[in-house]
Amino acid sequence: MQDNACNAHALSVTLLFLIPALGGLLFGYDIGSTAYTVKQMQNSTLSGITWSENASDPVVKGLIVSATSAGAFIGSFIVFAVADTIGRKRELQTGSLLYLVGAIFQYFCCNDSLDAIVGIACLILSRVLYGIGIAFSMHGAPTYIAEMSPPNLRGLLVSMKEAMIVVGILCGYLIGWVLEDTPRGWAYVYGCSSFLSGIMFFGTFTIPFSARWLLLRGRDNEAILSLKWVFKGDDDNIMDIYKKMKNLVASQAEAAVLRGSADKSIFATRWRGALTAGVGLVILQQVTGQPSILSYATPILDDAGLESYSSVLVGAFKLVATLFSVFYVDNYGRRKLLFIGNGLMLVALVTLSISFCVDDSDSSTNNSGDIGFKQIVTLVGMFVYIGGYQVGFGPIAWLMISECFPLEIRGQAVAFAVSMNFFWNLVVQFGLPTVQEQIGNASMFIIFSTLTAYSIFFVHKYVPETKGLSLEQIESFFEQQHRKMAGNNKKTAETPLITSDFV
């Protein structure tokens, strides 16, 4: 397949990336837009709701912001059960439909006839529904792209999916900022996502099922058609690709039968290395704080005395940093970018901790437009923090979980990784307002600094380099690591030694 990697239809590659990646954009849009909506909901003049005073309560605020993460966590268990049965394409269709319904319901929650209990409950339930859509989309998108992409483009395309999340965050910040002084603006911000949800839903009918998934289900004729949709060449060329993939899938299935039912569990010792690397990265991605902090970027920057448009600048910088990682992930590799990114995050978090320790009582009431030392340090610190995340955790975590799990457990393993991702996202998002109120921003950033320092050690210890390898070669590497851990140090010629540092 490597020889045929470049012979792909440009339109097909574009669609196999763009349609799934819209799921990432809609996920990011919710993060960015919520940073403004939670602020406007508290404004009795602009909110258009009777319960604006309730929206200021840290618990209510935490529930509203974390509701999509709660939905994604719930949805991840559903995905875990059905992913390998329905396939990646059906996941994307289900996710886009839930996005659409959730966005419409969120818009209609802005109704001044609803009392506080009903209004808050309806909004939270609508966001939970949207969050379940996130679970389906964020499981299906990286898996579909990884399984359908030519090997030489896999790292770029899966990383570009992360860039689409950032485009969504930036769009959410931008539209939220534009509508922040518009009555009921928060409802319009949420309602806007329904248009892209509809495009994604209808777009999923233009792409085929994953060829690897079809082969795993014994649907060989459809798999050949799926390969023809992606790759150029005559029938002999396509059949050559098909036979190689078929042999790999068959050998994996045969090996699974020989291993028995014990190894079919994703928690079997055979898969421990891959599970540790993939799931560990997505957990650390969340507990180091940035995905949750972005949902509260506007109030955090307000506390530092910065104008509301600063969130838009943060989002724009985040996109630039993401594009750097996207275009260099296959040049520099996964591990190097993780080390660079986490190092920058650590420096930034320490800086932000010091910045919020500075006594600047006039910063939150600064109406002169002047930017002082604290504001400059805070903004620069946020930029470096975001830049480090986008160079490392942002694209690499999702890329690793899409490529490090073997085909026979990939659906359930990625679903488990997604569930852990959103569980910890839920915990941090819900707890952040209370933590800020109880211990302050400085102590909060110190906690995130400690966790980021540990993440550097984790990458060194558990994360292998997978640059330039096929999915099957990556599986062979973890198989070698399992044999080594079991006391069998025999190495095979077809199994690459990915890094001498990996233990």
Side-chain angles (χ1 to χ4, degrees), residues 260-281:
S261 60
D263 280 350
K264 291 181 181 178
S265 167
I266 64 171
F267 304 108
T269 56
R270 182 173 299 276
W271 317 125
R272 187 169 296 167
L275 201 67
T276 300
V279 176
L281 282 179

Side-chain angles (χ1 to χ4, degrees), residues 299-487:
I300 288 174
L301 294 172
D302 282 348
D303 288 345
L306 289 160
E307 298 291 336
S308 60
Y309 64 78
S310 299
S311 297
V312 179
L313 297 179
V314 167
F317 180 78
K318 184 177 177 70
L319 178 59
V320 173
T322 302
L323 293 176
F324 170 85
S325 180
V326 163
F327 290 114
Y328 286 99
V329 65
D330 282 327
N331 291 336
Y332 293 105
R334 285 60 159 156
R335 278 168 58 90
K336 182 177 288 187
L337 290 179
L338 282 169
F339 283 130
I340 294 172
N342 282 304
L344 289 172
M345 285 175 62
L346 181 59
V347 171
L349 285 165
V350 172
T351 301
L352 287 166
S353 302
I354 296 172
S355 171
F356 279 97
C357 283
V358 174
D359 183 11
D360 190 0
S361 58
D362 295 329
S363 63
S364 60
T365 58
N366 184 5
N367 296 318
S368 66
D370 296 334
I371 297 179
F373 174 77
K374 179 176 180 178
Q375 289 77 23
I376 293 173
V377 172
T378 301
L379 195 58
V380 171
M382 286 289 282
F383 276 13
V384 176
Y385 180 40
I386 286 165
Y389 178 89
Q390 291 311 134
V391 167
F393 273 142
I396 305 301
W398 287 105
L399 175 58
M400 286 296 296
I401 67 170
S402 72
E403 65 183 9
C404 72
F405 300 122
L407 182 61
E408 65 187 275
I409 65 160
R410 187 174 298 147
Q412 288 192 339
V414 174
F416 178 70
V418 170
S419 69
M420 288 296 96
N421 176 81
F422 288 116
F423 172 75
W424 288 104
N425 192 7
L426 167 64
V427 169
V428 179
Q429 279 188 333
F430 177 73
L432 204 62
T434 303
V435 169
Q436 284 178 283
E437 187 173 270
Q438 296 297 319
I439 66 174
N441 285 320
S443 298
M444 176 186 71
F445 283 122
I446 289 173
I447 293 172
F448 289 142
S449 300
T450 304
L451 292 167
T452 302
Y454 171 75
S455 71
I456 296 174
F457 166 78
F458 179 88
V459 171
H460 170 73
K461 182 74 174 176
Y462 297 109
V463 180
E465 182 56 72
T466 59
K467 179 184 72 171
L469 302 178
S470 70
L471 297 180
E472 290 73 26
Q473 285 177 313
I474 296 169
E475 179 180 352
S476 295
F477 171 76
F478 282 113
E479 176 71 16
Q480 174 187 306
Q481 292 304 125
H482 170 70
R483 291 177 181 175
K484 184 177 179 181
M485 293 294 291

Side-chain angles (χ1 to χ4, degrees), residues 188-199:
Y188 299 134
V189 172
Y190 280 144
C192 283
S193 61
S194 62
F195 298 105
L196 281 178
S197 302
I199 293 173

